[in-house]
Amino acid sequence: MKRKTEILILGAGLSGTLLAAQLEREGYSGEITLLDARTDFSQEQRWCSWANPLPVLAPIIKKTWHRWKVVDWNFSTTQSSLTMPYRQIYAPDFYSHFHSRWKSQNRVSLVLGEKVLRVEEKSGIVKVLTDKTFWQAKLVFDARGNFYRLKNQVILYQTFLGFLAEFTHSVFDTETITLMDFRLKGSSKLASCINFVYILPYSETEALIESTSFSQTPVSFDVHRYLLNEYIKEHIGSNFVVKREEKGMLPMTVAKPQCYSNRAICIGISGNAIRPSSGYAFHRIQRQVSQIASALVKGEEIILESALSKYDILDAIFLELIVSNPSAVKESFLRMFSLSKPDVLIRFLMDESSFFDDIEVISTLPKMPFLKASWQVLKRKELKCNESKSLDFALSDSMDKPARKLAV
Ligand SMILES: Cc1cc2nc3c(=O)[nH]c(=O)nc-3n(C[C@H](O)[C@H](O)[C@H](O)COP(=O)(O)OP(=O)(O)OC[C@H]3O[C@@H](n4cnc5c(N)ncnc54)[C@H](O)[C@@H]3O)c2cc1C
């Protein structure tokens, strides 16, 4: 049996669901179908960001923090911002909010438990083969959250595992998150570059405590579990229970592979929305879906940013440095987060910085290591041009290409 729809979104995760919600909000009148292989959306996950959230997210932002700290053995810095708080969306709340609305209002057709097997385009029509049927759509958005198209272009993997832990006594300052705590004993034995702990406190006794690594080969979740237990016992306390676990793996690269055609468009992680040096994608996903929805409603071209941005250049240098000189990177994080104007750094991290913000951030960084890393990045670009060889470091893949314009 063949099924037809106008817009078909493959993957009802963060970017797919948000695109459907944004199209609905903008008043898109065509038929929208949102399809996912999953039927269970209760998996432990949260998305955090300093970015101003899209209005469709306002009812589900339950947690915000105004203060954050970065910690090492001999140093710690705490910063705050009244204007740019760190906001969290809890994934199960996000899914139940939109699913219950679409079940009762029928504005978006939700098709769950159906796995996409193939996507192809013929004569301006996109066909999608699933394990249940054939779909035909005018426009397909692939939001399946995978990064297989990056192939060997991933420079580093960000792996993380967190415990939602409850303690028997008060141990947390509920106003302050820990963005990075480098005091992870045992991590120096790992073949990873950077390891730290991230803590989101929900009450004086409960927090998400997460071990994170940036490494050339992924660090296993068992190793993260071990490191985390050691860290908690040493720095927080021994009387706790793990209520749930959150885990994930993200690619860190500035490569921007093209996706399908002008009628089948990748968004979210599949659409290069991850900030290469941090793994944050939430702010870019919000921007991406907002631009797409607005263009579709106005009947304008969708412009996908595939050209190299200033952030890609800086991130390429940062990734190079993580691989070649991780201790300089640790020092850089400590210095950046000590900046006397925290909003400057936050704008930089959220891709909203001005030229003067960039200068302020860059001026905090250790000069020689960054110059060396910049030179390495430039050399690689040159090698690619001269030898037209495929290199593992894929900066040049995204260079010199204009932003892709799509007729809708
Ligand atoms: C645990 C975790 C925490 C994160 N926290 C943050 C954060 O705090 N801040 C931040 O900025 N970024 C964060 N990220 C990074 C990023 O924001 C998330 O990965 C985000 O979910 C990416 O959205 P997406 O839509 O691209 O993919 P997903 O949200 O992963 O959605 C992909 C969807 O596609 C479906 N799917 C996959 N294959 C198929 C198929 N063949 N057929 C049908 N459906 C399919 C999946 O079931 C899934 O529902 C986090 C990532 C993880 C894994």
Side-chain angles (χ1 to χ4, degrees), residues 142-319:
D142 190 340
R144 282 179 287 167
N146 46 39
F147 45 91
Y148 65 87
R149 286 177 310 111
L150 290 168
K151 291 186 191 129
N152 60 347
Q153 297 175 317
V154 175
I155 297 163
L156 289 163
Y157 291 93
Q158 180 177 145
T159 51
F160 47 92
L161 179 131
F163 293 161
L164 181 66
E166 183 162 25
F167 290 76
T168 49
H169 53 288
S170 298
V171 282
F172 299 112
D173 163 8
T174 54
E175 301 300 315
T176 312
I177 61 171
T178 303
L179 278 177
M180 292 176 151
D181 185 341
F182 293 105
R183 297 172 304 162
L184 257 177
K185 269 199 187 147
S187 62
S188 54
K189 295 192 195 102
L190 297 178
S192 57
C193 303
I194 297 279
N195 305 281
F196 58 88
V197 167
Y198 168 74
I199 304 175
L200 299 177
Y202 298 116
S203 73
E204 288 179 357
T205 54
E206 188 175 287
L208 176 82
I209 312 171
E210 201 151 271
S211 161
T212 305
S213 293
F214 301 169
S215 52
Q216 285 177 295
T217 49
V219 170
S220 80
F221 294 128
D222 279 342
V223 169
H224 279 300
R225 222 170 261 124
Y226 169 78
L227 291 174
L228 208 46
N229 271 306
E230 294 296 299
Y231 171 89
I232 294 173
K233 280 181 208 146
E234 182 168 3
H235 298 289
I236 307 177
S238 304
N239 295 324
F240 68 96
V241 286
V242 177
K243 292 166 79 180
R244 286 174 182 227
E245 277 188 0
E246 165 184 292
K247 55 181 185 254
M249 177 168 76
L250 299 168
M252 301 177 84
T253 176
V254 287
K256 289 185 177 173
Q258 298 285 317
C259 179
Y260 306 123
S261 71
N262 61 353
R263 303 246 156 231
I265 299 163
C266 292
I267 61 168
I269 289 191
S270 310
N272 314 317
I274 293 188
R275 178 87 190 248
S277 62
S278 66
Y280 280 95
F282 192 20
H283 63 296
R284 289 189 172 183
I285 287 174
Q286 293 186 65
R287 204 174 308 134
Q288 208 175 46
V289 302
S290 162
Q291 283 167 353
I292 292 172
S294 157
L296 278 174
V297 169
K298 290 181 191 150
E300 293 172 354
E301 285 176 326
I302 298 172
I303 298 180
L304 293 185
E305 287 166 18
S306 62
L308 195 73
S309 76
K310 68 176 179 184
Y311 299 107
D312 290 326
I313 298 170
L314 293 168
D315 284 4
I317 297 168
F318 213 75
L319 292 182

Side-chain angles (χ1 to χ4, degrees), residues 10-16 35-38 41 44-48 86 95 114-116 143-146 160 198 246-250 267-270 279-283 285:
L10 311 176
L14 177 62
S15 61
L35 183 150
D36 205 288
R38 280 197 273 175
F41 287 79
E44 189 72 7
Q45 187 171 10
R46 63 269 294 145
W47 302 290
C48 295
Y86 197 66
Y95 293 121
E114 189 165 328
K115 187 174 179 188
V116 175
R144 282 179 287 167
N146 46 39
F160 47 92
Y198 168 74
E246 165 184 292
K247 55 181 185 254
M249 177 168 76
L250 299 168
I267 61 168
I269 289 191
S270 310
Y280 280 95
F282 192 20
H283 63 296
I285 287 174

Side-chain angles (χ1 to χ4, degrees), residues 297-361:
V297 169
K298 290 181 191 150
E300 293 172 354
E301 285 176 326
I302 298 172
I303 298 180
L304 293 185
E305 287 166 18
S306 62
L308 195 73
S309 76
K310 68 176 179 184
Y311 299 107
D312 290 326
I313 298 170
L314 293 168
D315 284 4
I317 297 168
F318 213 75
L319 292 182
E320 171 70 36
L321 198 64
I322 296 176
V323 175
S324 61
N325 192 348
S327 57
V329 172
K330 197 168 91 170
E331 187 189 337
S332 308
F333 281 126
L334 294 169
R335 288 193 193 190
M336 283 195 294
F337 281 100
S338 305
L339 204 65
S340 59
K341 294 182 216 155
D343 287 2
V344 168
L345 179 63
I346 301 312
R347 287 198 291 273
F348 179 80
L349 295 175
M350 294 295 105
D351 313 338
E352 291 168 10
S353 54
S354 67
F355 173 73
F356 295 106
D357 291 339
D358 297 340
I359 298 291
E360 275 203 59
V361 173

